Amino acid sequence: MPKSPPRHVSSGGAVEPAVRRGRPTGDHVAKRAELLKAAASVIAQEGYAGASLRKVAQRAGYTTGAVTYYFANKEELVTALIESRFDRYEEMLEAARGQADIKALIEQWLALTTGDPEYWPVMSQLLAHARFEPAFAALIERRYARYREVHTSIIAAGQALGTIRDDIPADLLADQLSAMGDGWMMMFPFEPERFTPGRIQALVDAAIALISPAPDTRRTSGP
Amino acid sequence: MPKSPPRHVSSGGAVEPAVRRGRPTGDHVAKRAELLKAAASVIAQEGYAGASLRKVAQRAGYTTGAVTYYFANKEELVTALIESRFDRYEEMLEAARGQADIKALIEQWLALTTGDPEYWPVMSQLLAHARFEPAFAALIERRYARYREVHTSIIAAGQALGTIRDDIPADLLADQLSAMGDGWMMMFPFEPERFTPGRIQALVDAAIALISPAPDTRRTSGP
Amino acid sequence: MPKSPPRHVSSGGAVEPAVRRGRPTGDHVAKRAELLKAAASVIAQEGYAGASLRKVAQRAGYTTGAVTYYFANKEELVTALIESRFDRYEEMLEAARGQADIKALIEQWLALTTGDPEYWPVMSQLLAHARFEPAFAALIERRYARYREVHTSIIAAGQALGTIRDDIPADLLADQLSAMGDGWMMMFPFEPERFTPGRIQALVDAAIALISPAPDTRRTSGP
Amino acid sequence: MPKSPPRHVSSGGAVEPAVRRGRPTGDHVAKRAELLKAAASVIAQEGYAGASLRKVAQRAGYTTGAVTYYFANKEELVTALIESRFDRYEEMLEAARGQADIKALIEQWLALTTGDPEYWPVMSQLLAHARFEPAFAALIERRYARYREVHTSIIAAGQALGTIRDDIPADLLADQLSAMGDGWMMMFPFEPERFTPGRIQALVDAAIALISPAPDTRRTSGP
DNA sequence: CATGAATGAGATTTCATTCAT
DNA sequence: GATGAATGAAATCTCATTCAT
């Protein structure tokens, strides 16, 4: 019984049949992922405004029509891209939540975002444009709200343990750290040469120092 | 160069042709300023990608031709806009440099950026796109480099005076603060309702607390 | 002619290849009929211009490929659809020809066209477009010519019997009635709410009155 | 003080300045009319579905961009076209209303619609498509409602005078006549050769005969 | 001085059709 | 026998830019 093609599968499901029967499915999911990668690459290099479907198609080695075959819209393509990026971050966040260690989280965030040299360039473009596409804006608001919660709870846990300074409310600290990250993300693409691994590490260390309890003073105030 | 319409002065210059008699020389400059204002408004509302010259002209109450008459092309218009925005910040910075008080600078920066509700929305758009227009990118790199210097020297002065913690190098602190500012700028347009004056002040206070020396514990531990 | 997929029989023919064994021969015919039904439905709802093969396939629950498998191309699909619609009318017409009663024919035509709420919407679309596809135009010209003949002869018979006014030639009356029908067909889809069963009946009654002989006045003027 | 261009002037106003000052206005209104004519011509020849802006532009001797300069949309172009066609009919109708003579109206309608060989072909296309463009549908419903009123009142007046049969309510007669007109309009483009002036006149005469009072019967019933 | 008509390139999107599997 | 991936052409629309007036 013929079915309409499995178009526009939302990101999560990787429910591939264990045994592919009949004709190879052409692997809709994989093709979409391939196109998303091409889109990210184009956005990183040409910016969101300069990223036409044509260029995405070319980079992936297809025709424009193929892109719109796999994604109904440009909007849908970009939405899927944003989702996939956030999914990666969220995965990491879930893992980090168990550890309740903000420093570890920062390090992992660093590994994630610097592991892919396109991560910051792409995210900054998506973020800048999201406001003008209601679908994106909603998506980002939703996700960010969740991150803020998790960040805040991790920091609060750190404060309870005494590993994080407690003279500033956890939610403000969370916002500060997020803002720093977003700020680096925005500036990185301008002068990637300034953001050497060494300097990035120094910035991260400094951030950790900023949120750590006042050094040794407690001990000093002892007997 | 087919025609040489009125010299497109970079920003402040009043290099008007001597030929004009009687008519106020300021006309040209004033009209450019008007168009820049319209451009900022359009960019804030529709994003950089959505800001066509036609819309700018319409918003300013001019004709399409007027825009390209007063600005050689779109790039020049946006360049002038970026310059004008940076000029405002730089003015403030020069004043603040004398005071050598980072806290005062932060407060003034806050007054500047929140005084105009379009400041953050416009800057975030310009920043996001600047990378893809060499002229913009160069401009921004140049300006930012100077700001970093001034910020760093102000912070270093604060460290010397003991008003700023000195366990983190001044240049890193400067970068952290800048990143926070940029981060807020990026997120503000998404959820302006989250950035109430109260919360912004709390964030700023928290930022100041972060860079302040460990609170009087040392002195307390004294005699 | 690159490939010769299953013979695309014009409409009724069951010229299935003898090769198929076991499987019901009616499949092919039935599937074509199903697709035709879907096509009619799509055309009624979205108009001819808005009726893409994809939509037809979707509505029928088939794949894109299926449509072009069962019909060589769009033209053939639509041709088959037109034929099938005309076939229904023609069937009725043949039956009516024996009765030689124009009033009965009108009533039957009414039953046919209002029995299926999509009849007028579909026909009006097909009619409007037929002119620009030579195949359709030829088909329609041919069919209409026959109808005109039959209508005319039925009306002429009525005139001979005195049940239809004879001060207007039968062929003109036939054209008038056809035009009225086509006119209603065109306007019906606009304001279906105006064409209540009651009003339609009134229009039909009025049409019958128009073509009836002057009401018994002649006889009344008798003795 | 520059003003934004006078785009999208609604059909009615021919308020041209008596004295054109400065640069010739380029005659926005005239250009729009020119493009409408081209559009009508393309629609008549290629059908609504086949009438692309490109073809319209080509026929008018412009580029596609020029068309969208004068009309924001394809929709706006077609709306303007429909309006202009209806305006012509309405003008005539207003004139005819004074005469209160349905026969004269029919003759004038005939002159109007057959005077321009594209009238019927264009109108039939517009009508067929109007249903799928809410803007068109609304426009047509509104106009037709008015026509029905005027037609009905003219016919009623004729009935009062005894020049029109009064055994059928005026509104039904009006609908019958309109339907005939629409029906001819639909079929004419198929077989223009059948609609010779002679046959059209015969059809019109027949229509008039249909709605005339029963001939001479009144007189016959006299002494 | 300044306008606004017009261009031409490019973007998104839709679609009938082809064809390897 | 049937699928659905992929194509390529065309359509609508937007826009920076040019240029005669």
Side-chain angles (χ1 to χ4, degrees):
Chain A
M1 200 172 292
K3 280 190 54 183
S4 57
R7 305 197 66 188
H8 319 139
V9 185
S10 79
S11 64
V15 191
E16 284 307 280
V19 179
R20 283 243 214 66
R21 273 177 274 173
R23 200 159 53 87
T25 80
D27 220 339
H28 210 82
V29 175
K31 271 295 169 43
R32 278 172 64 102
E34 198 187 327
L35 288 172
L36 287 185
K37 219 173 115 188
S41 164
V42 172
I43 289 176
Q45 271 178 37
E46 318 236 18
Y48 182 95
S52 67
L53 294 189
R54 229 202 292 243
K55 283 181 197 154
V56 171
Q58 269 170 341
R59 174 122 354 166
Y62 293 93
T63 60
T64 315
V67 177
T68 53
Y69 176 73
Y70 284 100
F71 296 93
N73 276 341
K74 186 180 186 180
E75 186 185 305
E76 206 196 89
L77 169 67
V78 181
T79 302
L81 180 58
I82 300 183
E83 295 255 27
S84 80
R85 295 283 155 153
F86 276 140
D87 283 346
R88 278 158 62 176
Y89 180 69
E90 204 140 347
E91 231 171 277
M92 191 205 75
L93 198 57
E94 281 312 310
R97 193 215 279 271
Q99 313 171 345
D101 179 353
I102 192 69
K103 294 171 193 175
L105 175 59
I106 292 177
E107 294 285 356
Q108 278 159 358
W109 167 82
L110 188 65
L112 175 68
T113 54
T114 59
D116 175 358
E118 281 175 351
Y119 193 95
W120 277 347
V122 169
M123 281 305 285
S124 63
Q125 289 298 302
L126 296 178
L127 217 55
H129 260 91
R131 183 157 65 97
F132 306 100
E133 299 266 5
F136 305 169
L139 195 164
I140 286 182
E141 259 182 77
R142 182 160 37 82
R143 296 268 193 161
Y144 263 69
R146 186 149 40 159
Y147 299 162
R148 265 198 301 275
E149 261 179 59
V150 179
H151 294 164
T152 301
S153 78
I154 291 178
I155 289 174
Q159 289 178 321
L161 289 172
T163 57
I164 298 183
R165 64 192 292 170
D166 58 4
D167 58 334
I168 297 175
D171 67 305
L172 285 178
L173 279 183
D175 269 16
Q176 304 282 37
L177 288 177
S178 287
M180 276 188 230
D182 289 338
W184 294 337
M185 175 187 76
M186 284 308 296
M187 296 313 296
F188 169 81
F190 274 100
E191 310 171 276
E193 69 283 1
R194 276 191 64 235
F195 286 78
T196 59
R199 179 148 193 96
I200 292 181
Q201 192 59 54
L203 285 166
V204 165
D205 290 344
I208 292 176
L210 283 178
I211 63 166
S212 294
D216 50 39
T217 39
R218 286 205 183 135
R219 263 170 259 140
T220 324
S221 67
Chain B
M1 218 175 281
K3 279 185 60 178
S4 65
R7 210 70 67 61
H8 292 293
V9 189
S10 78
S11 101
V15 191
E16 285 306 283
V19 204
R20 281 243 232 72
R21 286 173 241 164
R23 284 280 294 289
T25 305
D27 240 9
H28 200 250
V29 174
K31 284 197 176 167
R32 279 172 62 101
E34 238 178 301
L35 286 170
L36 286 185
K37 216 173 113 188
S41 164
V42 172
I43 289 175
Q45 274 178 34
E46 318 236 19
Y48 182 94
S52 67
L53 292 190
R54 245 213 277 243
K55 281 183 200 153
V56 171
Q58 255 172 298
R59 173 124 356 166
Y62 287 93
T63 60
T64 321
V67 179
T68 46
Y69 179 71
Y70 285 103
F71 296 93
N73 49 36
K74 194 182 185 180
E75 187 186 300
E76 206 199 88
L77 169 68
V78 180
T79 303
L81 179 58
I82 300 181
E83 297 258 26
S84 81
R85 293 283 154 155
F86 277 140
D87 284 347
R88 276 158 63 177
Y89 180 69
E90 204 140 348
E91 228 172 280
M92 193 202 75
L93 198 57
E94 281 313 309
R97 192 212 282 270
Q99 313 171 346
D101 179 355
I102 191 68
K103 295 171 192 175
L105 176 58
I106 291 177
E107 294 286 355
Q108 279 160 0
W109 167 82
L110 187 65
L112 175 67
T113 54
T114 60
D116 175 359
E118 281 176 350
Y119 194 94
W120 277 348
V122 170
M123 281 307 284
S124 64
Q125 288 298 303
L126 294 177
L127 215 56
H129 269 90
R131 184 154 66 92
F132 306 100
E133 295 267 6
F136 304 168
L139 195 166
I140 285 181
E141 259 182 80
R142 180 159 40 81
R143 296 269 193 162
Y144 262 68
R146 185 149 40 157
Y147 300 161
R148 265 199 303 274
E149 259 179 60
V150 178
H151 294 161
T152 302
S153 78
I154 292 178
I155 288 173
Q159 288 178 322
L161 288 172
T163 57
I164 298 183
R165 64 193 293 170
D166 58 4
D167 58 334
I168 297 175
D171 67 307
L172 286 178
L173 279 183
D175 267 18
Q176 304 282 39
L177 288 177
S178 286
M180 276 190 230
D182 289 339
W184 294 338
M185 176 187 75
M186 285 306 296
M187 296 312 297
F188 169 80
F190 271 100
E191 309 174 276
E193 70 283 0
R194 277 192 64 234
F195 286 80
T196 59
R199 179 148 192 97
I200 292 181
Q201 192 60 54
L203 285 166
V204 165
D205 291 344
I208 290 176
L210 282 179
I211 62 167
S212 294
D216 45 36
T217 36
R218 273 183 202 159
R219 262 169 259 141
T220 324
S221 68
Chain C
M1 219 174 281
K3 279 184 60 177
S4 66
R7 210 70 66 60
H8 293 293
V9 188
S10 78
S11 98
V15 191
E16 284 307 282
V19 205
R20 280 243 232 76
R21 286 176 238 163
R23 284 279 295 288
T25 306
D27 240 9
H28 200 251
V29 174
K31 284 197 176 166
R32 279 172 62 102
E34 238 177 300
L35 285 170
L36 287 184
K37 216 173 114 189
S41 165
V42 171
I43 289 175
Q45 274 178 35
E46 319 236 17
Y48 182 93
S52 67
L53 293 190
R54 243 212 280 241
K55 281 183 199 151
V56 171
Q58 255 172 299
R59 174 125 354 168
Y62 288 93
T63 60
T64 322
V67 179
T68 47
Y69 179 72
Y70 284 103
F71 296 93
N73 49 36
K74 193 180 187 180
E75 187 186 301
E76 206 199 86
L77 169 67
V78 180
T79 303
L81 178 58
I82 300 181
E83 297 258 26
S84 82
R85 293 283 154 154
F86 277 140
D87 283 347
R88 277 158 64 176
Y89 180 67
E90 204 140 348
E91 227 171 280
M92 193 202 74
L93 199 57
E94 282 314 309
R97 193 213 282 269
Q99 313 170 346
D101 179 353
I102 191 68
K103 294 171 192 174
L105 176 58
I106 292 178
E107 294 285 357
Q108 280 160 358
W109 166 84
L110 188 64
L112 175 67
T113 54
T114 59
D116 175 359
E118 281 176 350
Y119 194 95
W120 277 348
V122 169
M123 282 307 285
S124 63
Q125 289 297 304
L126 295 178
L127 215 56
H129 269 91
R131 183 156 65 93
F132 306 101
E133 296 267 6
F136 304 168
L139 196 165
I140 286 182
E141 260 182 79
R142 179 160 39 83
R143 296 268 192 161
Y144 262 69
R146 184 148 39 155
Y147 299 160
R148 265 198 303 275
E149 261 179 59
V150 178
H151 294 163
T152 301
S153 78
I154 292 178
I155 289 172
Q159 288 178 322
L161 289 172
T163 58
I164 297 182
R165 63 194 292 170
D166 58 4
D167 57 336
I168 297 175
D171 67 308
L172 285 179
L173 278 184
D175 268 17
Q176 305 282 39
L177 288 177
S178 287
M180 276 189 229
D182 289 338
W184 294 337
M185 176 188 75
M186 285 306 296
M187 296 312 296
F188 169 80
F190 272 101
E191 310 174 274
E193 71 283 359
R194 277 192 64 234
F195 286 80
T196 58
R199 179 147 193 98
I200 291 181
Q201 193 58 54
L203 285 167
V204 164
D205 290 343
I208 291 175
L210 282 179
I211 62 167
S212 295
D216 44 38
T217 36
R218 275 186 200 155
R219 262 169 261 144
T220 323
S221 67
Chain D
M1 204 173 290
K3 280 189 57 183
S4 56
R7 305 196 66 188
H8 320 136
V9 185
S10 79
S11 63
V15 190
E16 284 307 280
V19 178
R20 285 246 213 63
R21 272 178 273 172
R23 202 158 50 88
T25 80
D27 221 339
H28 210 83
V29 175
K31 270 299 167 45
R32 278 172 64 103
E34 198 186 327
L35 288 173
L36 287 185
K37 219 173 116 187
S41 164
V42 172
I43 290 175
Q45 272 179 38
E46 318 235 18
Y48 182 94
S52 67
L53 294 189
R54 229 202 292 245
K55 283 181 197 154
V56 172
Q58 268 170 343
R59 174 124 352 169
Y62 293 93
T63 60
T64 316
V67 177
T68 54
Y69 177 74
Y70 284 100
F71 297 93
N73 277 342
K74 187 179 186 181
E75 186 185 305
E76 206 197 89
L77 169 67
V78 181
T79 303
L81 179 58
I82 300 182
E83 296 257 25
S84 81
R85 294 284 155 152
F86 276 140
D87 283 346
R88 276 158 63 176
Y89 180 70
E90 203 141 348
E91 231 171 276
M92 191 205 74
L93 198 57
E94 281 313 309
R97 192 214 281 270
Q99 314 169 346
D101 178 354
I102 191 68
K103 294 171 192 175
L105 175 58
I106 292 178
E107 294 285 356
Q108 279 159 358
W109 167 82
L110 188 65
L112 176 67
T113 54
T114 60
D116 174 359
E118 281 174 352
Y119 194 96
W120 276 347
V122 169
M123 281 307 283
S124 63
Q125 288 298 302
L126 295 178
L127 217 55
H129 261 91
R131 184 156 64 96
F132 306 100
E133 298 266 6
F136 305 169
L139 196 165
I140 286 181
E141 258 181 78
R142 181 161 37 83
R143 297 267 194 162
Y144 262 70
R146 185 151 38 160
Y147 300 162
R148 265 199 302 274
E149 261 179 58
V150 178
H151 294 162
T152 302
S153 79
I154 292 178
I155 289 173
Q159 289 177 323
L161 290 172
T163 58
I164 297 183
R165 64 194 291 171
D166 58 5
D167 58 334
I168 297 175
D171 67 305
L172 285 178
L173 280 183
D175 268 17
Q176 306 281 38
L177 288 177
S178 286
M180 278 189 229
D182 290 338
W184 294 338
M185 175 187 75
M186 284 308 296
M187 296 315 296
F188 168 81
F190 272 99
E191 310 172 276
E193 70 283 0
R194 277 191 64 234
F195 287 80
T196 58
R199 180 150 192 92
I200 291 180
Q201 191 60 53
L203 284 167
V204 164
D205 290 343
I208 291 175
L210 282 178
I211 62 168
S212 295
D216 51 40
T217 40
R218 289 211 180 132
R219 262 171 261 139
T220 325
S221 67

